[in-house]
Amino acid sequence: NEDRFYVMDFIKNSENFYISSSEGFVRKIDPRAKKVVEEFALHDNKIFTVSVNQENPYELCTASLDRTMRLWDARKIGKGKPKPIHEMVHGLSVTGASYSPDGKYIVSCCNDHYLRVWNTAKLTAKSSDEDGPVPDSRVRHNNKTGRWLTKFRCYWDPKQQGAFTIGSMERPRCIEVFGVNEDASSTSLIMRLRDDNVASVQSINVPHPKLDVILSANSSGRGVMWTKA
């Protein structure tokens, strides 16, 4: 069929993983059995990303073209139209949302040019409005990648609590590192990384889990490894 896969996220202490799709489905895959174990219809439109809370692997976060980020308890998703634990309505399509490695934060990237951060410990008691739980902080960021570039999303650094990377539309071209303070009340730009050999937008920017290395890539498939000088 026309269903396309977008992002996958592995489940802690398991070989299984979740994968998001263009038709609004999230599927749980067992690679050993080479089959779909579970399939959930979680949005009416494209799901750009699915993220697993590695501290509580039954908790999922999805980001969609329908302008929402939703949090789910996989144990409670039944047949019919599932109901999320929380739904956060954004200004435009949400191109990425993910739990931090310790499960303490969630960051979203939206085409309305904001990055939003929630402290997950406050979610149950957090003040809400008609758009869902209010983010603890947000920061302006140019996310206008257009039609031909890979959409931006944030990538947490497992070595540094509260730090994440993201692509940038700034010139000269660069990748950016942001930091979230302890209670998520503030999110700010820490640094920009540039090099004369990097002249294109780096949409994908993944920190190494142990080394001081970031691997970035543009929409043409060219990769760059960033290390300390």
Side-chain angles (χ1 to χ4, degrees):
N1 57 29
E2 296 297 322
D3 200 4
R4 299 177 182 177
F5 298 138
Y6 281 93
V7 169
M8 70 178 190
D9 198 12
F10 280 90
I11 303 169
K12 187 176 182 179
N13 299 323
S14 171
E15 293 185 6
N16 295 350
F17 59 86
Y18 288 100
I19 194 165
S20 64
S21 83
S22 62
E23 297 299 314
F25 288 92
V26 164
R27 296 179 175 92
K28 185 178 181 181
I29 309 294
D30 183 345
R32 295 162 299 181
K34 299 181 179 180
K35 68 177 183 179
V36 175
V37 179
E38 294 179 293
E39 180 178 83
F40 308 127
L42 302 184
H43 292 263
D44 293 330
N45 285 303
K46 179 190 304 180
I47 300 178
F48 286 105
T49 63
V50 58
S51 174
V52 180
N53 182 351
Q54 298 300 335
E55 293 303 307
N56 296 301
Y58 52 85
E59 294 180 357
L60 308 178
C61 174
T62 54
S64 174
L65 182 67
D66 66 11
R67 303 188 177 194
T68 68
M69 180 186 87
R70 294 175 180 173
L71 306 185
W72 307 88
D73 186 333
R75 302 169 301 178
K76 299 179 180 179
I77 301 176
K79 296 181 179 180
K81 191 172 182 64
K83 183 178 180 180
I85 302 172
H86 295 289
E87 179 179 81
M88 291 76 155
V89 179
H90 290 56
L92 290 171
S93 59
V94 190
T95 58
S98 59
Y99 285 99
S100 60
D102 57 7
K104 187 172 182 178
Y105 310 113
I106 300 172
V107 62
S108 72
C109 177
C110 181
N111 277 343
D112 65 1
H113 304 310
Y114 279 100
L115 309 177
R116 295 169 171 84
V117 177
W118 289 262
N119 183 336
T120 57
K122 300 178 183 178
L123 277 175
T124 54
K126 188 177 295 297
S127 61
S128 299
D129 55 24
E130 65 273 13
D131 293 334
V134 178
D136 290 279
S137 59
R138 68 175 189 169
V139 61
R140 186 82 177 171
H141 188 266
N142 183 358
N143 298 321
K144 191 175 181 179
T145 54
R147 180 178 180 182
W148 305 111
L149 297 181
T150 301
K151 304 298 183 186
F152 285 161
R153 54 182 287 224
C154 302
Y155 299 84
W156 292 100
D157 187 345
K159 304 181 298 298
Q160 302 288 335
Q161 181 176 339
F164 62 83
T165 59
I166 189 172
S168 175
M169 299 301 294
E170 294 289 323
R171 291 181 182 272
R173 296 307 188 193
C174 62
I175 64 176
E176 296 175 330
V177 181
F178 283 81
V180 181
N181 70 346
E182 180 66 23
D183 64 356
S185 61
S186 175
T187 300
S188 57
L189 178 67
I190 297 174
M191 68 178 73
R192 289 189 173 104
L193 304 179
R194 290 188 170 100
D195 189 274
D196 292 340
N197 295 314
V198 178
S200 59
V201 174
Q202 304 295 295
S203 295
I204 300 172
N205 304 277
V206 183
H208 191 279
K210 295 181 180 180
L211 305 177
D212 289 326
V213 171
I214 297 173
L215 183 62
S216 67
N218 63 18
S219 298
S220 299
R222 181 176 183 266
V224 178
M225 183 178 291
W226 302 76
T227 63
K228 285 186 175 181

